[in-house]
Amino acid sequence: MTDKRVDDTSPVLAVGVSGTVGRHVGLQLAAAGVRVRTLAQRELLDPATLEAAAQGVDAVLLGWPFPTADGAAEAVGVLARNVGRVVFLSSAAVRAEGEVEVEALLAGSGVRHTVLRAYGFATALQWAEDIRSGAAVQGYGGAAGLNPVDERDIAAVAVRALNEDGHDGARYLLTGPESPTQAEQVRIIGEAAGRPAHWEEIPREAARHRMLTTGRPPAIADGALDFVHARIADPEPATTTVQDLTGTPARSFRAWATDHAALFR
Ligand SMILES: NC(=O)c1ccc[n+]([C@@H]2O[C@H](COP(=O)([O-])OP(=O)(O)OC[C@H]3O[C@@H](n4cnc5c(N)ncnc54)[C@H](OP(=O)(O)O)[C@@H]3O)[C@@H](O)[C@H]2O)c1
């Protein structure tokens, strides 16, 4: 990695460092001695604030957590005019309109950039309450093979792409080393936490009803359920990108569960 030391280089602008991935990027950049300037994600939508934050910046860690692309053209325009490179945290699975559009805007902007795509993160906190309370984890598609990537591994790749040359134009698909089914993932967490945990399959219609009652638009719910259904016959594949780029194998889901077992007890 290019050695960037405090006070003798431009800072990295990290947007959303309170986030699942962003907090690890911030910690890893700090450990590498890289100067970091932070910006709250909503400030991406305020061009004047973004413009001020981008002054003198070498590289930007960018996420787009918004469902639409509203404001994206302005934000990417500001970044393209002011910064050296952008590393964009994107998705490979159910892709939000905003993420697709930001990727296209970056490609058309001329700014040097790298796209990091993941299917899903290992952060399985949506199951924590049920597992802690001893309840079954109810859901549709327990046999769907999903490939969660550890957020620390995404962060390690992001830090390299922010600091090293050689990643311009790359679209990296980051995965874990295997694709356990959702039911297996619940079992793995239970083993790591030392308490019984199991999946209970519910019909697709019941899962859809739950999604709608928690505010998901019908098209989003149907898209997510179609996606999970397809992964029963066609599990998400594993790539070697994390190891290829960092020299260290991607962490397994079991390793994530072991390191976070306290959250499930
Ligand atoms: N989570 C996944 O499973 C997953 C899978 C594949 C790809 N991705 C992609 O990776 C990116 C990073 O994911 P992540 O899980 O690290 O993000 P996250 O933790 O959900 O959010 C990152 C930051 O965005 C801000 N934020 C979150 N939701 C927001 C909202 N609705 N409106 C405004 N600001 C919001 C917060 O920053 P501030 O408090 O600083 O504003 C937060 O720290 C996502 O944008 C997504 O495109 C996620």
Side-chain angles (χ1 to χ4, degrees), residues 16 18-21 40-42 64-66 89-91 99 118-121:
S18 65
T20 311
V21 174
Q41 202 96 38
R42 66 186 172 282
W64 194 264
F66 314 109
L89 297 174
S90 191
S91 300
E99 289 162 355
Y119 291 116
F121 296 169

Side-chain angles (χ1 to χ4, degrees), residues 15-23 39-43 45 62-67 88-94 96 99 116-123 151 154:
V15 184
V17 283
S18 65
T20 311
V21 174
R23 81 175 61 117
L39 188 76
Q41 202 96 38
R42 66 186 172 282
E43 292 176 302
L45 302 179
L62 176 68
W64 194 264
F66 314 109
F88 180 50
L89 297 174
S90 191
S91 300
V94 180
E99 289 162 355
L116 308 184
R117 293 180 181 147
Y119 291 116
F121 296 169
T123 322
E151 52 275 12
I154 303 177

Side-chain angles (χ1 to χ4, degrees), residues 151-256:
E151 52 275 12
R152 294 168 293 185
D153 290 331
I154 303 177
V157 172
V159 166
R160 285 182 177 261
L162 288 164
N163 286 297
E164 291 176 350
D165 290 330
H167 304 288
D168 294 348
R171 272 110 181 85
Y172 292 130
L173 176 56
L174 307 179
T175 74
E178 65 226 347
S179 306
T181 67
Q182 296 199 87
E184 286 166 349
Q185 291 179 30
V186 169
R187 183 175 48 75
I188 287 168
I189 291 172
E191 288 167 5
R195 51 185 308 136
H198 71 277
W199 181 272
E200 187 179 308
E201 189 74 8
I202 62 173
R204 176 174 171 143
E205 263 315 303
R208 184 175 191 272
H209 179 71
R210 284 186 182 190
M211 293 166 97
L212 299 187
T213 54
T214 55
R216 295 252 207 125
I220 301 284
D222 289 333
L225 291 164
D226 285 347
F227 181 85
V228 165
H229 180 77
R231 301 287 81 76
I232 295 172
D234 185 19
E236 289 170 346
T239 69
T240 58
T241 314
V242 169
Q243 175 153 20
D244 296 344
L245 295 174
T246 68
T248 305
R251 293 171 172 88
S252 65
F253 184 74
R254 186 175 293 278
W256 182 91

Side-chain angles (χ1 to χ4, degrees), residues 87-112:
V87 175
F88 180 50
L89 297 174
S90 191
S91 300
V94 180
R95 285 158 63 74
E97 176 198 322
E99 289 162 355
V100 173
E101 183 62 19
V102 169
E103 287 192 23
L105 287 164
L106 286 169
S109 73
V111 72
R112 293 152 60 205

